[in-house]
Amino acid sequence: EEEESFRKRSSAPENQVTMGIGRDSLHKRRSTGGRQKKWRKKRKHELGRIPAGTKISSNTCVRRLRVRGGNYKFRALRLDAGNWSWASEAVSRKTRVLDVTYNASNNELVRTQTLVKSAIVQIDATPFRHWYESHYGVKIGVKKIKGQKTEEVVDDTKRSGSLTRKLAARNKDRKLDPLLDEQFVTGRLYACISSRPGQCGRCDGYILEGKELEFYLKKMQKKKSK
């Protein structure tokens, strides 16, 4: 009886339908400030969908979604790895995503560890360290002790003469950013996501270097000090 009386009092219908997500501009005011009357119904091409909210998890989940024109989008719900490129060395490796550290658009996306395009993340440095050491024959990511001058640690494994000459030629023009070297010590590299995990189902990007790395390190430091 109480439920029936509540239904009579409430204005909402029994089978209430939630509103759809739309990307139309008919509900907005004109550029002059005047209100628009609704002169047509919603259109299929104006629909919107719930955001993917891709999370970091080893239990990978990518859903296929049929969209307009019979095409498909790949909605990544959970990812833990991607293809990351080291631009200055012209090399890319598949490695794990460990943490979301900064997002220019919304701090909430950092708190909830959501993977979106242009988010700054930390990735596992191991594949890149192994490549660097085998390509140049020099060990990186060696912990520095304060007050002591650290010399370059050369990998002294037995090599043929041709390989020794090849490594010597590569080392002539070798330059490693000190900020990157510091990160190799911790085993984590800062990187930026360049793909759209909620649209293509992949989490790919590039390692931050130079001015861009300095810029984001300052931003993260400022955020910590607040």
Side-chain angles (χ1 to χ4, degrees):
E1 288 175 18
E2 283 179 20
E3 283 179 11
E4 283 177 14
S5 63
F6 174 75
R7 276 179 196 162
K8 284 173 187 175
R9 275 181 281 146
S10 64
S11 57
E14 280 185 44
N15 303 323
Q16 191 172 14
V17 180
T18 52
M19 287 178 72
I21 301 167
R23 297 182 299 111
D24 65 300
S25 57
L26 280 178
H27 65 282
K28 292 191 169 184
R29 286 177 178 263
R30 290 190 175 91
S31 57
T32 54
R35 286 186 67 177
Q36 285 195 83
K37 284 207 169 175
K38 222 153 182 233
W39 51 274
R40 66 167 171 81
K41 289 186 177 179
K42 291 180 180 180
R43 297 289 186 261
K44 176 77 173 170
H45 63 80
E46 291 171 342
L47 68 80
R49 292 186 182 91
I50 298 159
T54 312
K55 298 284 183 282
I56 301 169
S57 172
S58 56
N59 183 21
T60 307
C61 175
V62 181
R63 297 264 165 88
R64 195 178 76 159
L65 193 76
R66 189 199 177 275
V67 294
R68 199 171 154 84
N71 300 308
Y72 289 101
K73 281 185 180 181
F74 295 92
R75 184 83 80 236
L77 303 179
R78 293 184 297 275
L79 287 174
D80 76 328
N83 205 39
W84 302 87
S85 95
W86 189 354
S88 63
E89 295 292 343
V91 69
S92 61
R93 288 286 179 274
K94 186 183 176 179
T95 186
R96 289 183 306 129
V97 181
L98 304 172
D99 189 24
V100 179
T101 54
Y102 183 77
N103 194 309
S105 63
N106 193 351
N107 281 336
E108 199 68 7
L109 298 173
V110 178
R111 191 184 66 80
T112 55
Q113 296 286 287
T114 306
L115 299 172
V116 291
K117 188 180 175 177
S118 297
I120 305 303
V121 295
Q122 280 189 320
I123 59 170
D124 185 15
T126 312
F128 291 102
R129 185 170 55 80
H130 286 328
W131 172 83
Y132 197 91
E133 287 171 3
S134 67
H135 188 74
Y136 290 108
V138 174
K139 289 197 173 182
I140 55 169
V142 179
K143 207 167 189 182
K144 293 179 178 78
I145 301 159
K146 273 189 176 180
Q148 285 187 20
K149 199 180 179 183
T150 52
E151 289 181 10
E152 211 172 71
V153 183
V154 180
D155 191 6
D156 53 353
T157 50
K158 211 170 186 184
R159 295 190 184 94
S160 65
S162 62
L163 184 59
T164 309
R165 287 192 296 275
K166 194 187 279 185
L167 292 176
R170 283 174 186 167
N171 275 298
K172 276 182 186 175
D173 305 317
R174 185 180 72 85
K175 276 182 185 176
L176 182 64
D177 190 340
L179 288 172
L180 268 179
D181 198 15
E182 281 173 31
Q183 288 176 58
F184 274 111
V185 175
T186 61
R188 290 169 169 231
L189 296 172
Y190 284 113
C192 180
I193 300 172
S194 59
S195 68
R196 299 173 70 192
Q199 308 290 317
C200 67
R202 296 173 65 90
C203 185
D204 301 338
Y206 58 93
I207 292 168
L208 293 176
E209 299 176 86
K211 296 276 184 188
E212 194 177 7
L213 176 59
E214 285 171 27
F215 171 81
Y216 282 115
L217 284 173
K218 273 182 189 173
K219 285 278 183 189
M220 284 182 268
Q221 198 62 43
K222 204 180 277 183
K223 205 175 116 186
K224 276 181 188 174
S225 61
K226 276 184 182 178

